[in-house]
Amino acid sequence: QVRLLESGGGSVQAGGSLRLSCAASGYSRRNYCLGWFRQAPGKDRGGIATIGSDGDIRYADSVKGRFNISLDAAKNILYLQMNSLKPDDTAMYYCAAENTRPGWAGSCARLSYNNWGQGTQVTVSS
């Protein structure tokens, strides 16, 4: 059973930084997709960064150059370093995980995820 627990959200002024963490367990250590998603009030949830077991990393255009996704495989913690935060980054942030098949050649950014954390709120004030 995949379990995901986010932490690190909070309130910050525009231009500031936050680092989100997601403690992950139960996912395949060899074939996986992990990602960060966010949902602002009144908007659909959307992907912002994904990382696959093949090392492929993708970012949404809105966060490229400002956010960095990384995985500490030894600790099973997925991170999202967020710099130069903007008010538009205000949202509930979720981590997600999905096991993939060996040899899978799809895109983690386009994958449908079935395992989600409970979310952590990020609020950026101007």
Side-chain angles (χ1 to χ4, degrees), residues 7-20:
S7 61
S11 297
V12 65
Q13 289 191 329
S17 298
L18 282 174
R19 188 177 76 162
L20 305 184

Side-chain angles (χ1 to χ4, degrees), residues 46-86:
I48 52 176
T50 58
I51 182 169
S53 50
D54 60 356
D56 186 48
I57 292 177
R58 301 294 174 97
Y59 295 98
D61 289 343
S62 59
V63 305
K64 279 180 181 177
R66 299 189 298 123
F67 290 11
N68 183 67
I69 187 172
S70 62
L71 174 66
D72 186 329
K75 296 180 179 179
N76 294 321
I77 299 178
L78 182 70
Y79 295 103
L80 185 68
Q81 177 66 44
M82 305 186 295
N83 301 321
S84 302
L85 282 162
K86 305 174 182 179

